[in-house]
Amino acid sequence: MRGDGEQETDGGRARVRAIPVIGRPPWLLPLLLVLLGLAVNLLTPADVFLSAPFIAACLVAAALWTFGGTAVTAAASMAAVVGLLVRAGLPPAENTVRLVTNITAGLLALVVSRVLHHSDVSVASAHEVAEAVQLAVLPVPPGRIGDLRIAARYEAAQAHARIGGDLYGVQRTPYGLRLLVGDVRGKGLDAVGAVTVVLGAFREAAETEPDLAAVADRIEHALVREAGQREIGTGRTEGFATAVLAEVPAGDRGSLRIVNRGHPPPVLLTAEGDVRLLEPDGRAYALPLGLGDLADGTVDGGADGTVDGGAGGRTGPVPFPPGSLLVLHTDGLTEARNATDAFYDLAEGLRGRRFPGPAALLDHLLAEVGAHTGGQRNDDMALLAVMRDPADPPAAP
């Protein structure tokens, strides 16, 4: 576990976000408020008494510190108040009012601290359940398969969300290593249900279908079938997903095959720092999974002229030399906007750079997107990177 609240694994990581606090350590600000109250009252005339800093110290301790710490703060504040009231020599009635006010503030702080503690426990339990769901639906891929190194990241746009409609999958098959990154339409539990359908169909089809395009067809069939069972419209316009599938063939590690179903194209970063967008051959983009039966042949549209039906979207074979990195991602990466509404430029962010492995590349992208957006993103991101080991690995230091 790293200090920033991220739990690291070889292939990926699950983020565990802590609730931010003001001031570290948590007792520092309450202590400063108590000292401030003492200083102000000691530097003013004896008959002038200010209790606001002591009340603030109790409430701040309730928000930032533990129940025991809040009790200590309340006791220290009360002791200071009593000593200052004795020094001030105020009338008994006024002393009584100020004592009751500060006692009430201390008791209120203890109640607030207890309520916040129970709230924190509930939030932590919800996070644990959500994390378990995430790891069950999107298990961390192995860090290495043969001479291929793999890393994955899932970044939720909202701090308390753990999984949405973005997905990734990695499958070692008789036909080679097969990869999937996709984005299911919608949010919430319906999207998670569709994610499980897509991943289940991918894992089954990847093991049995020799052709990568046939794997995509099987996923599409599963989505349409699921939509029909749920009686969602006609099963065509609901429950679809954009996706890109990649394959490193078992007999040819030096090449890649891509099938793109309406998804942002993968990026290939060579060992020399050159960047290539792996768009479909002829830039003929296929329709998303679940919508392939809406097109007969090709129709106008797409990035540069055509959108194919279910059979298109192929790219390859593409050279995949040693030291190269393949990056598959969802549109939460390339559609991340900055303060001027400009999209993040993935190709520019990678061009000319070299990385020791796929995890370092993905960490770089997450840092760049965070800086680009100022930490304010509106969409989730699923990232998957594969690196073919360099022909001449660097010597150990």
Side-chain angles (χ1 to χ4, degrees), residues 176-369:
L177 181 68
R178 286 177 166 175
L179 312 160
L180 167 71
V181 165
D183 189 353
V184 171
R185 177 187 182 275
K187 300 289 183 182
L189 292 178
D190 288 340
V192 175
V195 166
T196 60
V197 172
V198 171
L199 289 175
F202 167 71
R203 289 165 186 153
E204 179 183 355
E207 290 285 340
T208 58
E209 294 290 349
D211 183 40
L212 191 61
V215 177
D217 292 340
R218 289 272 296 274
I219 299 173
E220 176 165 49
H221 177 72
L223 277 174
V224 173
R225 179 184 60 207
E226 180 71 12
Q229 290 176 350
R230 292 174 178 266
E231 298 181 350
I232 302 177
T234 63
R236 291 182 174 185
T237 58
E238 302 284 349
F240 65 86
T242 66
V244 60
L245 296 90
E247 176 185 87
V248 183
D252 184 10
R253 292 288 201 188
S255 69
L256 293 168
R257 292 181 175 84
I258 308 290
V259 171
N260 194 319
R261 299 296 296 270
H263 199 77
V267 171
L268 182 66
L269 176 66
T270 68
E272 294 75 30
D274 297 327
V275 176
R276 177 182 176 186
L277 293 180
L278 303 183
E279 297 190 276
D281 294 339
R283 298 174 68 89
Y285 280 74
L287 289 172
L289 298 170
L291 300 180
D293 59 344
L294 293 180
D296 256 342
T298 59
V299 293
D300 289 339
D304 189 25
T306 61
V307 172
D308 205 341
R314 295 176 185 263
T315 303
V318 176
F320 190 41
S324 297
L325 278 154
L326 174 69
V327 183
L328 292 81
H329 60 91
T330 55
D331 59 9
L333 178 67
T334 50
E335 294 184 3
R337 300 172 184 261
N338 63 9
T340 64
D341 221 27
F343 291 123
Y344 173 70
D345 190 336
L346 173 59
E348 190 61 31
L350 293 179
R351 184 170 290 112
R353 295 184 177 271
R354 298 182 181 182
F355 300 95
L361 182 150
L362 296 186
D363 289 340
H364 165 78
L365 289 179
L366 292 178
E368 280 222 330
V369 170

Side-chain angles (χ1 to χ4, degrees), residues 12-337:
R13 67 183 171 188
R15 285 189 174 268
V16 182
R17 288 182 172 87
I19 298 176
V21 297
I22 304 174
R24 293 186 180 182
W27 48 262
L28 181 59
L29 186 54
L31 174 62
L32 291 176
L33 287 170
V34 172
L35 295 176
L36 175 65
L38 285 170
V40 169
N41 281 282
L42 291 174
L43 293 174
T44 54
D47 58 344
V48 176
F49 180 78
L50 300 175
S51 60
F54 303 109
I55 296 175
C58 295
L59 296 177
V60 168
L64 302 184
W65 209 358
T66 62
F67 181 83
T70 303
V72 169
T73 303
S77 297
M78 185 53 56
V81 167
V82 171
L84 291 170
L85 288 176
V86 171
R87 169 181 174 271
L90 299 175
E94 188 171 348
N95 282 343
T96 301
V97 170
R98 295 187 181 279
L99 281 173
V100 170
T101 300
N102 283 273
I103 291 173
T104 302
L107 293 175
L108 178 61
L110 292 174
V111 172
V112 170
S113 177
R114 182 59 65 187
V115 170
L116 289 177
H117 170 74
H118 287 299
S119 176
D120 289 345
V121 170
S122 299
V123 170
S125 299
H127 281 185
E128 290 175 1
V129 172
E131 183 176 357
V133 171
Q134 181 191 26
L135 294 177
V137 177
L138 298 178
V140 175
R144 175 180 290 275
I145 296 179
D147 64 343
L148 301 174
R149 296 163 59 189
I150 307 165
R153 301 286 187 266
Y154 187 95
E155 291 290 310
Q158 298 179 358
H160 301 299
R162 298 298 301 162
I163 185 170
D166 291 16
L167 60 99
Y168 60 79
V170 178
Q171 194 79 3
R172 186 176 188 176
T173 76
Y175 312 104
L177 181 68
R178 286 177 166 175
L179 312 160
L180 167 71
V181 165
D183 189 353
V184 171
R185 177 187 182 275
K187 300 289 183 182
L189 292 178
D190 288 340
V192 175
V195 166
T196 60
V197 172
V198 171
L199 289 175
F202 167 71
R203 289 165 186 153
E204 179 183 355
E207 290 285 340
T208 58
E209 294 290 349
D211 183 40
L212 191 61
V215 177
D217 292 340
R218 289 272 296 274
I219 299 173
E220 176 165 49
H221 177 72
L223 277 174
V224 173
R225 179 184 60 207
E226 180 71 12
Q229 290 176 350
R230 292 174 178 266
E231 298 181 350
I232 302 177
T234 63
R236 291 182 174 185
T237 58
E238 302 284 349
F240 65 86
T242 66
V244 60
L245 296 90
E247 176 185 87
V248 183
D252 184 10
R253 292 288 201 188
S255 69
L256 293 168
R257 292 181 175 84
I258 308 290
V259 171
N260 194 319
R261 299 296 296 270
H263 199 77
V267 171
L268 182 66
L269 176 66
T270 68
E272 294 75 30
D274 297 327
V275 176
R276 177 182 176 186
L277 293 180
L278 303 183
E279 297 190 276
D281 294 339
R283 298 174 68 89
Y285 280 74
L287 289 172
L289 298 170
L291 300 180
D293 59 344
L294 293 180
D296 256 342
T298 59
V299 293
D300 289 339
D304 189 25
T306 61
V307 172
D308 205 341
R314 295 176 185 263
T315 303
V318 176
F320 190 41
S324 297
L325 278 154
L326 174 69
V327 183
L328 292 81
H329 60 91
T330 55
D331 59 9
L333 178 67
T334 50
E335 294 184 3
R337 300 172 184 261

